[in-house]
Amino acid sequence: MAAIVPLSHATIMPPRASSSKTTIIAGILAGLLAAGLGAFYLHQQSAPQGGHAPGASGQTAAEAQSARAVDALMALPEIKAWSAHIEKASGGRAHGAVMETSPDARLIDGKPYYDLNFVENTPDAAHRWESFVVSQDGKRILVDDIVSGELISLEQWRKDSAPMQRIATQ
């Protein structure tokens, strides 16, 4: 199940001023869906975490692995800074979020990873800032450059893209 956690291949664009009524309604529904999934995921995260089979918390092994990957991404200083910036710059109307784009793990060099995006979650839409792949144990994070199709290390991304400068210039 795709999930959003407050704190980037799918991009939901806000409706244009000249868009049809259907497009506007679709944008509103997308925003409500994102908010609903976020609330569900937060509820899942607040439940006690236990073993690998569904137990008292109702969390399966796959859900626990996905949660570890999301937690590892949310712990990055860039994600924390971007999230705080979005909240402050929008006066609390928008929030940073980590969105799981697929419930299924993706194999990279024979190991399973989750596709996660950092998005700016507004009342109208979710705008992708960056795409990542995170190992199930949360110990390896790569940046998914959707333009080149390459996966790069966090170190290379920090060197090439200077992600902290993104908020310094806004």
Side-chain angles (χ1 to χ4, degrees), residues 7-126:
L7 264 191
S8 302
H9 303 295
T11 302
I12 304 169
M13 299 300 294
R16 296 180 188 159
S18 62
S19 295
S20 70
K21 200 181 246 186
T22 303
T23 304
I24 294 169
I25 292 170
I28 292 168
L29 289 174
L32 291 172
L33 177 61
L37 287 172
F40 172 78
Y41 196 78
L42 283 177
H43 174 72
Q44 290 287 347
Q45 288 296 306
S46 65
Q49 306 225 353
H52 293 286
S57 70
Q59 190 175 45
T60 66
E63 289 168 337
Q65 290 169 337
S66 174
R68 274 194 297 275
V70 169
D71 289 346
L73 187 59
M74 288 175 25
L76 290 179
E78 292 86 356
I79 300 300
K80 290 178 181 180
W82 287 356
S83 186
H85 169 75
I86 290 167
E87 180 92 19
K88 183 178 178 184
S90 70
R93 292 183 309 279
H95 307 279
V98 171
M99 184 170 90
E100 185 176 6
T101 58
S102 172
D104 299 321
R106 163 178 161 180
L107 289 180
I108 299 170
D109 295 330
K111 296 180 181 164
Y113 284 74
Y114 288 101
D115 285 305
L116 302 173
N117 292 326
F118 177 78
V119 299
E120 180 175 347
N121 195 19
T122 69
D124 298 325

Side-chain angles (χ1 to χ4, degrees), residues 9 106-117 130-135 140-157 160:
H9 303 295
R106 163 178 161 180
L107 289 180
I108 299 170
D109 295 330
K111 296 180 181 164
Y113 284 74
Y114 288 101
D115 285 305
L116 302 173
N117 292 326
E130 198 66 69
S131 298
F132 299 89
V133 293
V134 182
S135 63
R140 186 151 190 239
I141 300 173
L142 301 169
V143 180
D144 192 357
D145 182 352
I146 63 171
V147 174
S148 72
E150 299 289 323
L151 293 173
I152 59 174
S153 69
L154 283 176
E155 295 77 21
Q156 189 66 43
W157 172 65
D160 294 347

